[in-house]
Amino acid sequence: MASATQRFLNYEMGKGQSNALKTVFSTSLFLHIIIAFVVLALSETIGLWFVNHKLQIDADRLHAANWVFQFSILTLIFQIIAIPYNASIIAHEKMSAFAYISIFEALMTLLIVLGINNSQHTDRLILYSGLLLVLSITVSLIFLVYAKRKFAECSLKICYSKIYFKEMLSYSGWNTLSVFSVMLKKQGIDILLNLFFGTVVNAARALATKLNNVVTGFVLNFMQAMNPQIVKNFAKGELSEMKKLIMFGSKFSFFLILTFALPILIETEPILSLWLKEVPEYTTIFTRLVIITALIDSLNNTLWTAQSATGKVKAYHITLSSIGLVNLPISYLLLKLGYPPYMPLIVTLVQSIVLTYVRLKFLKKSIKLDVSEFFYNVILRAFFISVTASILPILLHLYLNPNLLNTFIVCCLAVLCVSISFFSIGLKRNEKKKVLELFVNKIPILKHVTKYLS
């Protein structure tokens, strides 16, 4: 729903329809209030029954579980209602405000955790859930107050549009299909691994996934800043600029992922050993496969945004969801035939390559994107960046004895090699200037470099 609100706001901004922004926002807020009431009704009936009669909870902890459940429902309600305000901040590209609020939320969460550890409260679980609810309400109110003060469309004036309501509901519905497909695929793989190999392998996959989330989280925040421009360019009819931004964004998101991924791929075992006392079997290969898949997926970030900008998402999401769900029967068959537990992750990796091709074909049809140009300008350059950046760190890794200092040295060299390779091989001349301009306000000395490249 957040992506739907953001997309419609950016589309109207791109068309210069400032009056329509209030209608879009108000309709979105109305839709989210309806969703919040539906969630509340389902949670207090089916959800409450499930918690009290189906979940395996010790009798003496059922009271605490019900408190936690009620706090969780209220937290979710406030987060749903705050979505239009969050989307407005991102749509207006006020990323500094979004970042400060997110940092505040993260710091407060940390303080809550530290405070709980030193608390003498009789039930820390209830206290923890209650404090998270208070934090959620606080953050939601901060988003609301900031958006109302900064953006005229975020007033509470009722301005409902049946046309926007139907379009947003349809758009978010098809988007939800893809989200459901991804969730089903991930949970399905976990269930298959548990059925065939037990909880130890599940633990290994969970650790690999957690490490991957740390690597990819930064890139997702970066893409939030780029997405509004892609939608606005489409709304203005500036498809040439839109295509340039798609390719630049794909390369830059790949670079950001590779900056963190390459050190981990080379020094996987030392890093895991530093993090964990005992590293479960298969964790190393799981981690490497998951991160390589994330590198491939990073090329798709702007592709997804571009297709969403067109509003033609029905066939797109049906096709991608269908391909995504094929993973489960293939993985089950391979595991049934006796293949090792990392085989489903290899299937996922191959699937990511296929999905990249499918997304490109859709964009070729919807915005006339040149697939050959994307291959040579983005995919091929990404491949050469990866190869050239890996040579020196791998050689040093093989030469040095494994210890903490040498791991640190190899990681630093890998980051340096990725940066040099990306800037020298991955970018065209005009793109180099664009990258420098991203940092020029932060590092004044780069003004001289930018002037030289002009």
Side-chain angles (χ1 to χ4, degrees), residues 369-390:
L369 182 70
D370 190 331
V371 176
S372 298
E373 184 183 357
F374 188 92
F375 176 79
Y376 287 109
N377 188 27
V378 179
I379 297 175
L380 209 57
R381 285 176 186 261
F383 174 76
F384 283 121
I385 291 169
S386 303
V387 172
T388 54
S390 302

Side-chain angles (χ1 to χ4, degrees), residues 225-261:
M226 182 168 286
N227 290 342
Q229 286 299 322
I230 294 175
V231 180
K232 287 178 183 177
N233 282 327
F234 177 79
K236 293 176 183 177
E238 297 175 355
L239 296 185
S240 178
E241 288 299 316
M242 181 186 182
K243 293 170 188 176
K244 290 178 183 178
L245 197 56
I246 290 169
M247 295 190 187
F248 174 74
S250 291
K251 285 191 289 188
F252 199 65
S253 59
F254 181 87
F255 157 68
L256 291 175
I257 288 280
L258 188 63
T259 303
F260 297 100

Side-chain angles (χ1 to χ4, degrees), residues 132-193:
L132 286 183
L133 170 61
V134 173
L135 177 59
S136 177
I137 295 173
T138 303
V139 171
S140 298
L141 289 174
I142 292 173
F143 277 121
L144 187 151
V145 171
Y146 179 87
K148 283 191 66 177
R149 287 185 176 182
K150 293 291 183 179
F151 317 125
E153 69 270 13
C154 293
S155 64
L156 294 179
K157 183 179 179 181
I158 298 175
C159 190
Y160 171 77
S161 169
K162 186 176 181 180
I163 295 174
Y164 279 125
F165 184 86
K166 290 177 66 176
E167 288 181 355
M168 293 177 73
L169 191 62
S170 174
Y171 179 95
S172 58
W174 292 117
N175 187 45
T176 301
L177 178 64
S178 283
V179 173
F180 177 76
S181 170
V182 172
M183 290 177 59
L184 187 61
K185 180 181 70 175
K186 289 182 178 179
Q187 298 301 321
I189 289 175
D190 286 336
I191 292 171
L192 288 178
L193 292 177

Side-chain angles (χ1 to χ4, degrees), residues 119-130:
S119 172
Q120 300 300 319
H121 193 273
T122 53
D123 199 313
R124 294 182 180 181
L125 182 60
I126 295 177
L127 178 61
Y128 176 69
S129 301

Side-chain angles (χ1 to χ4, degrees), residues 401-416:
N401 293 322
N403 58 57
L404 183 59
L405 177 60
N406 290 341
T407 296
F408 178 75
I409 293 172
V410 171
C411 289
C412 289
L413 179 62
V415 171
L416 179 63

